[in-house]
Amino acid sequence: MTGLRERKRRQVHEAISTAAISLFLDRGFDQVSVAEVAASAGISKPTLFKYFATKEDLVLHRISDHQGEAARVVRRREQGEAPLAALHRHFLAGLDRREPVTGLNDIPEVLGYHRMIFETPSLAARVLHYTATDEEALAEALAEITDELTARLVAAQVVAVQRVLARGNWLRLVRGETAEQIHPSAVAAADRAFRLLPELG
């Protein structure tokens, strides 16, 4: 019964977010009220806030699956594989799969979603919070194999590299290139960026 209840909750959670993002992409994040989102999803405003603490969370829960991802990659890496090699491999695999988090996804709705985040100050600020949390988690994972200062410095650089690469890919897409066209140079850019990161000693 608990499993069924949880599945139902996830379905409602996803339905609310889908309704919200559709409205936001159509009219703009700041032009749509939470009450309008609730009405579109067929629920009350108090019920909506039981699922999402803030209006921004209606959008950003879509990236919540990636929270702590870099730390997980480091901890689950293959035996004998260096942490940065594992992170590099993981990013390249994301490019191959056209993961939206790599910026290399030219589905119109995904492009619009990223534009909304980049151009809405409250969403961009919340993303910075997510990024800081990811950086802290990665630093903790790296600190298991090196000293704390090195772990924190490398974690900050890894997160910056991923952000710069993803933003660069997205900008090329919105300028008219396709993901297929960009992929080879996106891979080359990732290879170069990860080579520039310091080795963990």
Side-chain angles (χ1 to χ4, degrees):
M1 184 65 74
T2 302
L4 180 61
R5 187 180 299 116
E6 181 58 28
R7 285 197 298 274
K8 177 66 174 175
R9 179 177 174 79
R10 286 187 191 139
Q11 288 171 356
V12 174
H13 192 268
E14 187 65 29
I16 296 169
S17 177
T18 298
I21 290 173
S22 178
L23 287 171
F24 296 153
L25 290 177
D26 184 49
R27 292 165 46 199
F29 181 80
D30 293 326
Q31 279 63 55
V32 178
S33 69
V34 172
E36 288 177 286
V37 173
S40 177
I43 60 173
S44 68
K45 188 174 173 181
T47 298
L48 183 147
F49 280 120
K50 289 179 181 178
Y51 289 89
F52 296 93
T54 70
K55 184 180 178 183
E56 287 74 21
D57 289 337
L58 288 161
V59 175
L60 297 179
H61 99 92
R62 288 289 175 89
I63 65 175
S64 62
D65 286 348
H66 294 284
Q67 280 281 273
E69 188 168 71
R72 290 192 295 274
V73 168
V74 167
R75 289 194 171 107
R76 298 173 185 173
R77 69 190 186 279
E78 298 171 6
Q79 186 173 6
E81 186 177 28
L84 293 180
L87 291 164
H88 182 189
R89 173 177 53 78
H90 182 75
F91 191 86
L92 292 179
L95 291 175
D96 290 343
R97 293 192 302 268
R98 305 298 191 263
E99 287 278 358
V101 73
T102 68
L104 195 65
N105 185 303
D106 51 10
I107 295 173
E109 292 79 6
V110 174
L111 291 175
Y113 177 86
H114 282 138
R115 183 187 296 277
M116 176 172 60
I117 290 175
F118 293 141
E119 296 181 354
T120 306
S122 63
L123 291 173
R126 183 59 68 88
V127 168
L128 288 177
H129 173 73
Y130 274 73
T131 301
T133 302
D134 277 345
E135 183 182 316
E136 183 66 25
L138 177 56
E140 290 177 3
L142 294 174
E144 296 169 7
I145 55 175
T146 189
D147 65 275
E148 184 177 349
L149 178 59
T150 299
R152 289 188 176 280
L153 290 172
V154 172
Q157 292 175 76
V158 167
V159 169
V161 160
Q162 293 174 333
R163 183 183 69 249
V164 169
L165 291 172
R167 177 79 181 220
N169 292 335
W170 176 78
L171 285 172
R172 291 179 65 183
L173 290 175
V174 298
R175 289 169 184 156
E177 295 180 74
T178 67
E180 197 66 29
Q181 290 170 332
I182 294 170
H183 182 261
S185 56
V187 169
D191 289 344
R192 182 182 176 209
F194 276 92
R195 279 198 305 269
L196 290 172
L197 291 172
E199 294 291 338
L200 288 172

